[in-house]
Amino acid sequence: MNKTAFSRGVALLLAFSALTFSQFALAHAHLKTAVPADKMVVHSFLHNASLTFTEDVEPAFSGVEILNAQHQPVAAGKAKLAENQHNKLVVQFDPPLQSGQYQVNWHVLSVDGHKTKGSYSFSIK
Ligand SMILES: [Cu+2]
């Protein structure tokens, strides 16, 4: 192996390990999109909310709590995985949510075993 080929090999190896490390660092489940989205103003009653994460999540160890303006939990079903989309949690409201300010507190366990949590808010006019 000549010197050029050797340094090319080293460069490739370094690039590969950097890529591998960054993929580990990104592997936690972060919130990618939510409907309604953060700070969104909805103009109708709301039957459900959904949260899509960057990784698949374990529903048994994940949860979504929605609080009204008085910080009381609203009547909602347990967060369930969307069909055929294991990185998406859906919460049904029965009765539908009415006008007001709402805060969403979520926590998830991603399939790689890491826990993450966060919160955001939206309102209904
Ligand atoms: Cu992770």
Side-chain angles (χ1 to χ4, degrees):
M1 192 187 275
N2 64 35
K3 203 178 168 199
T4 315
F6 178 75
S7 33
R8 195 177 293 155
V10 169
L12 264 176
L13 201 68
L14 286 176
F16 179 74
S17 44
L19 193 72
T20 309
F21 277 119
S22 63
Q23 277 174 345
F24 273 120
L26 291 170
H28 314 300
H30 297 288
L31 186 62
K32 190 160 71 174
T33 54
V35 181
D38 186 22
K39 299 180 180 70
M40 190 170 175
V41 181
V42 180
H43 291 274
S44 66
F45 296 164
L46 196 65
H47 293 270
N48 59 62
S50 69
L51 298 85
T52 304
F53 297 91
T54 53
E55 299 289 324
D56 289 357
V57 299
E58 296 283 2
F61 301 98
S62 302
V64 179
E65 178 188 55
I66 291 142
L67 305 177
N68 63 20
Q70 290 75 44
H71 301 286
Q72 302 297 315
V74 304
K78 183 172 170 22
K80 288 184 184 152
L81 277 186
E83 209 170 330
N84 300 324
Q85 210 181 329
H86 295 173
N87 66 336
K88 183 176 181 179
L89 290 173
V90 181
V91 183
Q92 303 281 348
F93 304 117
D94 189 17
L97 288 189
Q98 315 276 323
S99 303
Q101 301 265 5
Y102 297 95
Q103 182 182 335
V104 182
N105 298 327
W106 59 265
H107 69 274
V108 296
L109 178 71
S110 62
V111 291
D112 71 358
H114 292 130
K115 289 178 175 178
T116 48
K117 61 180 180 176
S119 63
Y120 61 92
S121 53
F122 63 83
S123 59
I124 303 176
K125 287 244 157 146

